[in-house]
Amino acid sequence: MDTRQKLIRVSAALLKESGPELSMRAVCEAAGVTAPTLYHHFGDKQGLIDATVADAFDRYLAEKLNKNSTGNLVEDLRRGWDLHVDFGRSNPVLYKLMFPSANRESLPSAAEKSFALLHRAMERLEQMGQLQPSLHADIAVRALWASLYGTTILICGDKQQQDAELLSALVRDAVIDALTCLPFLREGSS
């Protein structure tokens, strides 16, 4: 791993451990480099944070793209929801840096790749007649994103994360069921 990547990984680990107050001194010590090395690669603290966020998006999208499709778009939406919430639960500080607000226009440009995947899935559902007849892909994406973002931020803010999986599953299923018109038999149901 090169020095730049090492600094990004150390930054992500420190954000996860100690919260949003990232100390450049702590990053340098943990990475075994001097401050001039850090500033050479990133310019300043914000440059390091931006690179850490971009790296997190790359890792998140790689994991998302490596999930094999089930062949059922509705089930794939559920799996995508779970992946997103799990990422937020595991990386609450980084998640809040990646998604500082629900407003898509203010999100980092790397987030657009994730939204493009979601939009394509909703367009396919619409073309297949699997979205509610009164909906179109754009509003379905916005509804799903609002619910997903709200649920993930709520879970990220709950230190104990009590009943996080149940909360997420309830909201996920309610929203996806409301957006789609084909009944979906979940695992274990008949």
Side-chain angles (χ1 to χ4, degrees), residues 83-99:
L83 175 73
H84 187 95
V85 171
D86 288 346
F87 182 89
R89 284 180 71 189
S90 299
N91 304 280
V93 173
L94 199 49
Y95 182 85
K96 290 174 186 174
L97 290 170
M98 291 169 67
F99 298 101

Side-chain angles (χ1 to χ4, degrees), residues 122-133 179-182:
M122 288 298 185
E123 285 176 333
R124 287 184 56 214
L125 284 170
E126 183 177 22
Q127 291 165 356
M128 295 166 55
Q130 293 182 5
L131 279 185
Q132 289 292 344
L179 295 174
T180 58
C181 58
L182 295 179

Side-chain angles (χ1 to χ4, degrees), residues 7-8 11-12 15 47-57 59 94:
L7 286 163
I8 289 170
S11 171
L15 283 167
L48 175 60
I49 290 172
D50 291 346
T52 303
V53 167
D55 182 71
F57 266 114
R59 288 185 290 113
L94 199 49

Side-chain angles (χ1 to χ4, degrees), residues 81 147-148 151 166-176:
W81 175 293
S147 306
L148 178 57
T151 300
L166 176 60
L167 171 67
S168 178
L170 285 170
V171 177
R172 176 199 66 205
D173 292 343
V175 171
I176 292 174

Side-chain angles (χ1 to χ4, degrees), residues 63-72 75-76 79:
E63 186 175 351
K64 193 173 190 175
L65 293 171
N66 284 333
K67 288 276 186 195
N68 292 331
S69 173
T70 64
N72 181 317
E75 176 60 16
D76 289 346
R79 292 173 71 202

